[in-house]
Amino acid sequence: MYDVVIIGAGVSGVFLAYTLARQSQNVLLIDKGKQLHKRSCPLDEGKLCSCDVCGKYYGFAGLGKSEGKFNYTNDFGGDLEQKVGPEEALRLMKEVDNVLCSFGGDEVELYSTVNPALVKNAKVHGLQLLSTEVRHLGTARSTAIFQRIYDVLKSRIDIWFEVDVQRIEKQENEFKIVSNKGDVQARRVVVATGRSGNDWAEEQFSALGVKKGLTRLDLGIRVEMHGRQLNRLLEHTFETKLASQHEGVISYTYCMNPKGRIIRKYQEGLVMPDGQNYREKGSGTANLNFTLFTPAYFNTLQEANTYAQNVIGELNAGGDQIVVQRLSDLRRQKATSKEDMSGNRIQPTLSATAGNLLNYVPTNYISALEAFLRKLEGLLGESIHEDTLLYGMDGKFYSPVVETDEYFETNVKGLYVIGDSSGVTHSLSQAAASGMYVGEVFNEKIL
């Protein structure tokens, strides 16, 4: 009998396990994917994907293995502060950073995007500046750090990989977890499967009678522009995050990459433009890129996924097509041609299909982008270069919000949901903090 079984070894599950391991609780951590050093994605090597389980999203550390960007803030990245309070949320994120630093994260400097003067100026032009402290580990360092955490955990708790959990059965005072690796009993079960486990979680929650709320979906256009145009905004920081309200909906910039590149992101069966930090390639570009995301809410996960498939799937045209259009052409409502792109003064960092985003992208995302760029021009005091490139279309996917109490416990007593699978957190830092928080709660409560 385990005290706690954690299903999902992403950042929330790892930080929960790490917190419990320090108090010698009897813990089993299981994941559908592989050990960290065995995780790989053929798409990253230009090969076709034939994996039964995606090595990019499943396995130890989950998306913590990606670029390892930890934003410590309540301004964005989830609603953890609504669960635990703003001060407690920041304390937990600070503890997450302390753990990362104890395993080598302090090799990278913590930087801040706080700029009071810019906050005031942005407000004048109808923009909100979202501030954070950032520890940007990068893929290689993040992988090394989580490998060190794994090396500590494996001697303190049980860890099973390549486990297919078929069902969770609620018994009188415990749970039975049925899997391809055998059945186990637990007093408490914590679901920490992240967004990648949405379909599995939906099935389990429905069978157990777990109550759920709305599902959020963010779609947006990735912008690639002259890096020098944002020099004044980035004078004292590596990046910034801006929010803009248009027609009652707040859009926000995401994954800003000064000197960075745009790469293809493969997720949810779709192909999308994503930003890559210039450090990943060891050299920079003259460009800067970011996505302007606009959120929408759907009654079910299926409705959200169907909408994304319809919009982005049409752009993909049955393959990996991404459509690019010059800003000047979008404003003139004309298609961008191959010839236009060959002489464009802002050179694209991604090979994409020249075309007309107006033929694919719903009008609310176009109008939100146009309104944001007008406000940004006011803040910058100059026009955005007409050869700025717009790529369609990026997506950010969320789990349905699960109804939980202040300790992340569902209406099924003893069943908890943390991290992004709860629908409460949307970032590495807040997901990790939610795991640490529940671990502290468990350590205080005698099982």
Side-chain angles (χ1 to χ4, degrees), residues 85 103 116 200 242 250 254 323 341 365 442:
F103 287 96
W200 174 87
L242 297 164
I250 296 176
Y254 177 79
V323 174
M341 290 298 295
Y365 300 104
F442 287 2

Side-chain angles (χ1 to χ4, degrees), residues 172-387:
E172 188 173 352
N173 294 310
E174 61 195 46
F175 292 88
K176 179 180 179 181
I177 295 92
V178 180
S179 80
N180 63 325
K181 296 292 180 73
D183 303 346
V184 294
Q185 307 288 129
R187 294 185 176 90
R188 289 173 173 151
V189 173
V190 182
V191 175
T193 50
R195 292 180 288 107
S196 301
N198 276 351
D199 292 338
W200 174 87
E202 276 281 292
E203 182 180 339
Q204 300 299 322
F205 292 160
S206 294
L208 289 164
V210 174
K211 297 178 181 178
K212 301 184 295 295
L214 297 175
T215 300
R216 176 175 169 176
L217 170 68
D218 296 356
L219 297 182
I221 294 169
R222 183 156 282 270
V223 178
E224 186 167 37
M225 59 189 293
H226 269 314
R228 62 167 179 76
Q229 289 212 270
L230 263 64
N231 280 349
R232 186 166 60 84
L233 272 62
L234 304 176
E235 186 177 1
H236 301 294
T237 186
F238 178 74
E239 64 175 313
T240 192
K241 187 179 286 283
L242 297 164
S244 166
Q245 182 169 330
H246 178 66
E247 296 181 351
V249 178
I250 296 176
S251 301
Y252 64 96
T253 62
Y254 177 79
C255 191
M256 183 174 289
N257 289 282
K259 304 179 186 177
R261 295 170 175 81
I262 297 179
I263 59 175
R264 279 176 166 78
K265 171 175 68 177
Y266 298 84
Q267 188 179 357
E268 306 290 336
L270 301 169
V271 186
M272 296 163 278
D274 193 19
Q276 183 186 56
N277 188 300
Y278 78 92
R279 295 188 183 98
E280 299 294 334
K281 286 289 186 180
S283 62
T285 71
N287 298 351
L288 174 146
N289 68 78
F290 62 87
T291 292
L292 184 77
F293 274 133
T294 299
Y297 295 86
F298 299 82
N299 289 324
T300 66
L301 175 65
Q302 183 178 5
E303 287 181 15
N305 288 343
T306 298
Y307 185 79
Q309 290 286 341
N310 289 340
V311 175
I312 303 177
E314 185 177 359
L315 280 157
N316 292 160
D320 65 352
Q321 175 176 276
I322 291 173
V323 174
V324 62
Q325 185 175 21
R326 299 186 305 179
L327 176 60
S328 58
D329 292 332
L330 179 82
R331 286 173 165 170
R332 293 197 295 266
Q333 300 186 3
K334 68 178 287 288
T336 297
S337 67
K338 287 183 179 180
E339 292 72 24
D340 294 330
M341 290 298 295
S342 64
N344 204 58
R345 285 165 289 183
I346 297 176
Q347 284 299 299
T349 57
L350 177 74
S351 177
T353 302
N356 191 349
L357 292 174
L358 295 170
N359 293 335
Y360 303 93
V361 179
T363 55
N364 59 308
Y365 300 104
I366 297 289
S367 60
L369 177 65
E370 291 179 321
F372 169 78
L373 292 178
R374 286 193 298 270
K375 295 174 184 177
L376 182 59
E377 287 175 330
L379 177 60
L380 297 175
E382 63 177 290
S383 298
I384 302 295
H385 197 287
E386 62 180 4
D387 281 1

